[in-house]
Amino acid sequence: MKRVFSTISNFFIFFLLAAFVTTCCILLFISALQGSLGRAFTREEITVAAKITMLNVILLSIGMTVMNHIRRKFTVERPVKRITDATSKMIEGDFSVRIEPIAKFATDDSFNEIIECINKMAEELSGVETLRTDFIANVSHEMKTPLAVMQNYGTLLQVPNLPEEKRIEYAKAITDASRRLADMMTNILKLNRLENQQIYPQIEKYDLGEQLCESLLQYESTWERKNIEIETDIAENVIVSADAELLSLVWNNLFSNAFKFTEDGGKVTLTLTAKGEYATVKISDTGCGMSADIGAHIFEKFYQGDTSHATQGNGLGLALVKRVVDIMQGEIGVESAVGVGTTFTVKIRRTEYGLEEAR
Ligand code: ADP
């Protein structure tokens, strides 16, 4: 019904337009012809000419209406249908749809611009959706392992007359698994709050060298147990304006990985230098290193390249590190070679660098 009404109204628009233009032209033509012939046309002559012209105008209007209808079908209705079909699928949750661009001769660039934007939006949305589903799958998977450990050892603890050392061993396994679960939940919550900008950085000025030393010292018992050599080269008076608590997360995670992935008798090196606007921290180890393929994914949530140490972490550490460094508007990079070792480099903006350079 709407279509019929639109076709009729289109016809009337073309009819009125054609009738108006043709009448004006004919009136001008007749008056010019009468002037040059030197005689006036008779009533009959004018009636015949008016009928023929009226017929022409009607045919012309019908022709224009049909042509306009065909033009609209190809240049407007088809692209609009393509777009609405795709967006309806997106509304139903299918973000894999992409709209084919319209051939250049069939439309102007406007529809293709809209199509390009919708395709980009679908790509972004499918990325977010994958992250969300991956995240849920990963969390569930990571929770299942410690829960299974707790269940198994809990069952074993129920065996009557259990020797004392077995009872202690099983209880320790349960405590370790529950600690792992609690650590993972703490990391997920921290990451979630960091990603949703619910943590507002408490910026303060402090000495970065001191903070790095404090963080490194927490691992004293580990490096003594594993007989790991420590080398430090820390520039003095490197003052940064940053959130000390958040940055300590970064150093703790990097040191913990360095000690975790370094074999007994290896070496961990810490250097702090300051040049221009940035303070540069390098944490190197002579551990197992990682391939370029692994290196490309280490900042992703739940990614664990080295599964032999999987029980000592949950793949969230470096995702947290990256998020904090981004919030601090710093930079982080990694260089690594399998069997040689790994170096993480973090750059943090420092304060008072002008003063220091002038000294
Ligand atoms: P996890 O806590 O499980 O170690 P991370 O996010 O801290 O998770 O690290 C992700 C992955 O990055 C690790 O599984 C490991 O493959 C790699 N990695 C991180 N630091 C090092 C390092 N110093 N040496 C070798 N590989 C590393």
Side-chain angles (χ1 to χ4, degrees):
M1 189 65 200
K2 214 171 151 192
R3 252 160 193 258
V4 177
F5 182 74
S6 145
T7 314
I8 293 173
S9 71
N10 272 343
F11 170 76
F12 267 109
I13 290 169
F14 285 125
F15 176 76
L16 287 176
L17 209 73
F20 177 73
V21 172
T22 321
T23 312
C24 291
C25 291
I26 283 185
L27 285 178
L28 282 172
F29 178 69
I30 287 176
S31 76
L33 202 64
Q34 279 178 345
S36 66
L37 289 177
R39 77 167 181 96
F41 289 114
T42 62
R43 194 183 168 80
E44 286 76 39
E45 283 171 328
I46 291 178
T47 312
V48 171
K51 278 181 186 163
I52 293 169
T53 311
M54 179 72 174
L55 198 69
N56 278 340
V57 167
I58 291 173
L59 287 177
L60 199 68
S61 309
I62 292 173
M64 282 165 91
T65 310
V66 172
M67 268 162 62
N68 184 47
H69 188 75
I70 295 170
R71 182 192 64 83
R72 274 184 66 83
K73 193 145 202 81
F74 284 98
T75 61
V76 181
E77 284 175 20
R78 266 197 183 181
V80 167
K81 184 157 178 355
R82 248 188 229 188
I83 292 171
T84 48
D85 283 354
T87 45
S88 310
K89 281 190 186 157
M90 281 181 215
I91 291 168
E92 283 161 16
D94 177 4
F95 299 118
S96 63
V97 282
R98 299 289 179 273
I99 313 172
E100 281 284 308
I102 314 287
K104 280 251 185 293
F105 65 86
T107 181
D108 59 12
D109 275 344
S110 325
F111 276 115
N112 280 336
E113 277 169 24
I114 296 172
I115 287 173
E116 204 180 314
C117 286
I118 293 177
N119 283 345
K120 266 192 198 145
M121 186 181 77
E123 213 171 292
E124 286 292 313
L125 287 173
S126 66
V128 172
E129 182 63 10
T130 317
L131 274 183
R132 196 178 65 87
T133 43
D134 278 3
F135 186 79
I136 294 171
N138 280 324
V139 172
S140 319
H141 177 77
E142 289 292 324
M143 278 174 79
K144 267 167 103 180
T145 321
L147 283 175
V149 169
M150 284 152 79
Q151 267 175 4
N152 292 342
Y153 283 102
T155 316
L156 287 174
L157 271 179
Q158 290 168 25
V159 173
N161 306 325
L162 206 63
E164 183 64 2
E165 72 271 20
K166 284 285 167 204
R167 191 184 58 78
I168 295 174
E169 185 193 324
Y170 298 162
K172 189 175 173 302
I174 292 177
T175 320
D176 286 350
S178 63
R179 191 174 299 129
R180 233 184 106 196
L181 206 56
D183 285 351
M184 184 178 77
M185 287 307 166
T186 314
N187 276 346
I188 290 176
L189 285 176
K190 269 187 205 155
L191 201 57
N192 189 38
R193 284 167 64 205
L194 280 171
E195 288 191 335
N196 294 329
Q197 305 283 340
Q198 284 172 2
I199 291 182
Y200 298 102
Q202 306 288 314
I203 304 294
E204 53 181 299
K205 270 195 213 173
Y206 67 92
D207 190 317
L208 185 58
E210 275 177 22
Q211 186 187 39
L212 284 164
C213 288
E214 271 168 31
S215 179
L216 180 61
L217 279 171
Q218 289 179 50
Y219 296 89
E220 194 172 356
S221 58
T222 314
W223 81 61
E224 277 178 357
R225 178 170 44 83
K226 290 180 85 175
N227 196 23
I228 289 174
E229 186 191 337
I230 301 292
E231 192 181 308
T232 56
D233 180 7
I234 300 173
E236 281 180 15
N237 295 324
V238 179
I239 310 295
V240 289
S241 288
D243 185 317
E245 208 183 313
L246 284 182
L247 266 192
S248 71
L249 265 177
V250 173
W251 316 132
N252 289 346
N253 269 299
L254 295 181
F255 283 132
S256 137
N257 278 346
F259 289 115
K260 186 162 78 182
F261 293 106
T262 303
E263 296 301 319
D264 293 10
K267 184 174 165 185
V268 169
T269 311
L270 162 69
T271 60
L272 168 64
T273 50
K275 196 161 183 256
E277 204 181 337
Y278 286 100
T280 306
V281 179
K282 278 182 194 277
I283 296 174
S284 310
D285 62 64
T286 57
C288 58
M290 56 187 129
S291 65
D293 276 356
I294 292 180
H297 297 282
I298 54 173
F299 296 112
E300 290 169 14
K301 276 177 248 173
F302 292 106
Y303 181 81
Q304 288 188 307
D306 181 332
T307 43
S308 62
H309 293 81
T311 52
Q312 294 169 38
N314 39 48
L316 286 173
L318 289 180
L320 262 169
V321 165
K322 175 84 174 84
R323 191 72 198 114
V324 171
V325 173
D326 284 348
I327 289 176
M328 293 294 143
Q329 295 173 345
E331 289 169 24
I332 183 162
V334 61
E335 282 169 73
S336 189
V338 178
V340 179
T342 304
T343 300
F344 279 93
T345 306
V346 181
K347 284 184 169 186
I348 298 291
R349 253 173 230 279
R350 64 193 187 116
T351 33
E352 300 174 2
Y353 61 91
L355 284 176
E356 193 185 279
E357 234 102 90
R359 250 181 246 150

